[in-house]
Amino acid sequence: QVQLVESGGGLVQAGGSLRLSCAASGRTFSRYAMGWFRQAPGKERDFVARISQGGGVTSYGGSVKGRFTISRDNAKNTVYLEMNSLKPEDTAVYYCAADDSSLAGRTLIYEYDYWGQGTQVTVSS
């Protein structure tokens, strides 16, 4: 069992930056690949980024590639999402999720086993 708690969301102007954090409970954080997803009002939840258990492999959704960076600190049981050059279309609730599979390229919601409650990111124009 893993419990996830996101933080770091807020209101930022277009072009600005935010760093989201996701703190995990339990002693087995390092066995999980971690992902970030986001959901805008009236839209489906979309894949944003994924990082492997050891942190050496990352992948990104097309709309954030080059602007967002996912990282993790297994000693702190925390995964991060650094978001730069934010755009109004990045406005959404951001969720972190844990996946106990080591397969790369998993971007679908059902492939993740545990979810946080989400944190709101609002980008003003």
Side-chain angles (χ1 to χ4, degrees):
Q1 189 83 13
V2 177
Q3 292 184 327
L4 304 171
V5 179
E6 301 96 336
S7 61
L11 174 64
V12 63
Q13 288 188 331
S17 299
L18 279 176
R19 187 176 83 155
L20 305 183
S21 300
C22 173
S25 66
R27 295 175 291 178
T28 57
F29 176 70
S30 60
R31 69 175 276 188
Y32 293 93
M34 298 297 297
W36 285 97
F37 290 75
R38 67 185 182 185
Q39 188 167 18
K43 296 189 177 181
E44 295 183 349
R45 193 171 297 189
D46 290 332
F47 170 76
V48 173
R50 175 184 172 92
I51 189 166
S52 61
Q53 283 82 343
V57 179
T58 58
S59 59
Y60 297 90
S63 63
V64 308
K65 198 172 294 184
R67 299 188 297 124
F68 291 11
T69 302
I70 188 171
S71 61
R72 68 188 294 161
D73 185 338
N74 285 345
K76 295 182 178 180
N77 284 8
T78 302
V79 62
Y80 305 97
L81 185 69
E82 184 75 34
M83 306 186 295
N84 297 315
S85 302
L86 283 162
K87 306 175 181 179
E89 51 264 44
D90 293 319
T91 295
V93 177
Y94 283 71
Y95 299 89
C96 69
D99 175 13
D100 67 1
S101 171
S102 60
L103 295 174
R106 287 163 66 92
T107 64
L108 301 177
I109 294 171
Y110 71 83
E111 292 174 324
Y112 289 75
D113 305 289
Y114 302 101
W115 292 82
Q117 83 290 346
T119 186
Q120 176 70 47
V121 171
T122 303
V123 184
S124 63
S125 57

